[in-house]
Amino acid sequence: MEMTGAQILLKCLEKEGVDVMFGFPGGAVIDIYDEIPNFSVEHILVRHEQGAIHAADGYARATGETGVCLVTSGPGATNTVTGIATAYMDSIPVVIFTGQVPTPLIGNDAFQEVDIVGITRPCTKHNYLVKDIKDLARTVRQAFYLARSGRPGPVLVDLPKDIVNQKCDFEWPEDVTMRSYNPTVKPHVGQVRKVAKLIRNAQRPLIYSGGGVVLSKSHEELRWLADNLDIPVTSTLMGLGAYPGNGKHWLGMLGMHGTYSANMAVNNCDLLLAVGARFDDRVTGKVSTFAPHATIVHIDVDPTSIQKNVSVHVPLVADCKSALGSLKKEMEALVSEEDWERKHEEWNSQLEEWDRLHPLTYNDVDDAIKPQYVVEQIQEITKGDAIIATEVGQNQMWAAQFLKINEPNRFLTSGGLGTMGYGFPAAMGAQRAFPDKLVIDVAGDGSIQMNIQEMMTVVCNKLPVKIVILNNGYLGMVRQWQELFYKKNYCETCMDAQPDFVKLAEAYGAEGYRITEKKDVNKVLKKAFATDKPAIIDVRVTKEENVYPMVPAGASLTEMLLV
Amino acid sequence: MRHTLSVMVENEPGVLSRVAGLFSGRGFNIESLNVAPTLEKGVSLMTVVAEGDDAIIEQIVKQLRKLVPIVRVVDMTELQSVDREMILIKVNAEDSKRAEILRITDIFRCKVVDVSMDELTIECTGDRGKISAILNLLSRFGIKEIARTGNVAMRRAMQVTE
Ligand SMILES: Cc1ncc(C[n+]2csc(CCOP(=O)(O)OP(=O)(O)O)c2C)c(N)n1
Ligand SMILES: [Mg+2]
């Protein structure tokens, strides 16, 4: 059947099972918008394109499916770049459709023309400019396939206005074949055996799990290994929730703001099983002293991650799910053969000892509100049954440290890029995916102002996101660095000139709360979480609190500054 | 060490800039790069000469393979291969020097492709060593200009193991 480019695009989205996209219209995409009412895909109108891309990303992280975003050419497209880079760094599947000027005008500096394919080449998994309507359906199909297969990531499709208007027979390509793209999936049997043997021989094994475990949905396999073989688990920021935060073998996060026991475990283990993690500098600290006594096994779907930052002894290129699955099979026979608990008893009690020595903690007070206390109260009220998004900075680290994330896809945070302004629109996307769940953005007073305009979007779409601002009047994380490493020269980090967040919430038609006393924290949070409206809860916390433990940038993991 | 990489790519717009962008974005050094179609429909061959230690070359090869439109990457330096480059050399050639220059041209089995009153342009094909040797020999006459194609390479049909 003959259809216009716009119709073909929307039909393809239906075929891909897309139920919602986040977007913002403009001249170059007006023909697509003209057709939206005729198709089943819902469109959520944001207030800034950065909100759209982060919302699509938050939707993807919370559901494990692909997020979709639609924007116009020129400024619409460039406004998504930060969000695309955010998704790219964390390997999140999103497909971005951008309008483009008509093909005859491309390269002429036409009105609202920008080379978005050129701009986003280094921060997308792949991108396309559709130049022939006959390629449209196949391109959309490939874009979704690329976004979610192998190591996932954002894929951008640039759509010139004339292509969207032309007509062509619609044909849905059932299969995607790309001779140049074959993401390795199945693990090498010999390597799996080698890993199994290493686990058998290890006295002090440690699992270091990352975002790849969440992305590949292999948390069950991971939990099986940890629980049946009695192996302690630490994880990156991106991997939180894969192993439960209240689980028996959980050590807490590792790295710059990791727990004492997790970092000591890395330093002392004799076998490090890195799964779906990439040895980021925020995790390793000084590379040359990272895991100095360990045989390192690295399981990752992306060969470029392996041997990039740290030289590993046993690489295993495979989808984490199939790699851990094969490993589980290999180990199943051995489970009953050995008394694993006995075998790792000394190691596990050493870890407990370290945790007793320097637990994750803070100096609580009665006459003021400590930010960590607020996070603990969120944990207390939600009991882990909420989707948490975070902004970036101290708020993000306290959320990561003090919440117990018990399931994957429950903790949405910009890890690789560290994008302030990510959390709120991401929470909005997650709330759209799970309308009945409690979705909370743990925010900083600085970050929240970066995408505050989306208040209007959540109000008019009845997405009751709760924003808890840990309001310290500072760009706190930068201030912490200034305090510790720049002689307290708090240059341009004091942000105590700020809007009245309560009135701001009310102006948008949401609820606003302010908490200034410790005794009100639990009560007011509970009340705000119980309403069916979006809400901002402005919590006035102590101003100069620091995140500890802290490994200074470039130092070894054992050189932790403690509370 | 210097490596010659043969990179088969889908012949589509933007592929050259993806490869070039990868090198600049990740701080890898390209010494030379050339692109031309192959016998296979829709596939072009890029030959990249890059410099780096083993770890860097390993990253370059993997990062290239990760680019979606890249079909195949072979590190020719790991194989027995024929490596060739062509160079055009414009050299000063006043009457008294001309015979000597022509003799060198002969010894290197090169061709004179352009002449004027006081210049010769010589076309020379060979591996890296040969090209630097002729450049070296001609330099004392005064080389005015050169143009090089960059390396191309082909796997030898017989891979001899000792
Ligand atoms: C878009 C962006 N700009 C700048 C930074 C650098 N930065 C990292 S944390 C931070 C402070 C954030 O302040 P706030 O949101 O109040 O959080 P706090 O650390 O106080 O909890 C800044 C400026 C960033 N991560 N992202
Ligand atoms: Mg702050």
Side-chain angles (χ1 to χ4, degrees), chain A residues 394-395 444-446 470-476:
Chain A
Q394 295 182 314
N395 59 86
D445 47 304
L470 304 179
N471 191 343
N472 52 14
Y474 275 109
L475 298 172

Side-chain angles (χ1 to χ4, degrees), chain A residues 389-451:
Chain A
T390 79
E391 299 296 340
V392 167
Q394 295 182 314
N395 59 86
Q396 177 184 35
M397 290 301 116
W398 286 318
Q401 291 178 329
F402 289 92
L403 291 171
K404 295 196 167 31
I405 313 296
N406 291 330
E407 295 299 331
N409 310 99
R410 292 276 181 83
F411 190 71
L412 323 177
T413 196
S414 169
L417 200 67
T419 308
M420 289 172 68
Y422 167 80
F424 174 37
M428 172 169 95
Q431 186 79 77
R432 168 57 185 74
F434 297 100
D436 300 326
K437 255 197 147 10
L438 178 58
V439 181
I440 300 168
D441 177 33
V442 176
D445 47 304
S447 302
I448 193 60
Q449 295 184 63
M450 287 209 173
N451 273 313

Side-chain angles (χ1 to χ4, degrees), chain A residues 121 179-180 302 304 306, chain B residues 10 17-18 59 62 66 68:
Chain A
R121 216 169 262 141
R179 64 175 160 186
S180 61
D302 179 0
T304 67
I306 290 172
Chain B
E10 294 284 358
S17 104
R18 282 180 211 282
Q59 263 302 306
K62 286 170 165 180
K66 187 168 152 180
V68 171

Side-chain angles (χ1 to χ4, degrees), chain A residues 88 117 121 124-128 131 146 151 178-181 302-308, chain B residues 10 12-14 17-18 26 40-43 58-59 62-63 65-71:
Chain A
Y88 183 67
V117 167
R121 216 169 262 141
T124 49
K125 180 168 173 183
H126 194 53
N127 58 17
Y128 295 91
K131 280 188 167 161
L146 285 173
R151 178 176 181 173
M178 299 169 72
R179 64 175 160 186
S180 61
Y181 178 75
D302 179 0
T304 67
S305 288
I306 290 172
Q307 316 289 23
K308 186 174 63 180
Chain B
E10 294 284 358
E12 61 184 40
S17 104
R18 282 180 211 282
R26 295 193 178 265
E40 211 172 326
K41 194 164 167 273
V43 175
E58 182 183 334
Q59 263 302 306
K62 286 170 165 180
Q63 292 287 356
R65 287 191 177 130
K66 187 168 152 180
L67 292 178
V68 171
I70 287 193
V71 183

Side-chain angles (χ1 to χ4, degrees), chain B residues 5 9 17 27 36 48 50 58 61 64 84 92 103 108 111 116 125 129 137 146 154:
Chain B
L5 308 175
V9 303
S17 104
V48 182
E58 182 183 334
V61 169
L64 282 169
R84 288 294 180 272
N92 278 331
R103 205 155 32 239
F108 278 82
K111 267 194 299 198
S116 71
T125 304
L137 280 170
I146 60 167
M154 194 167 278

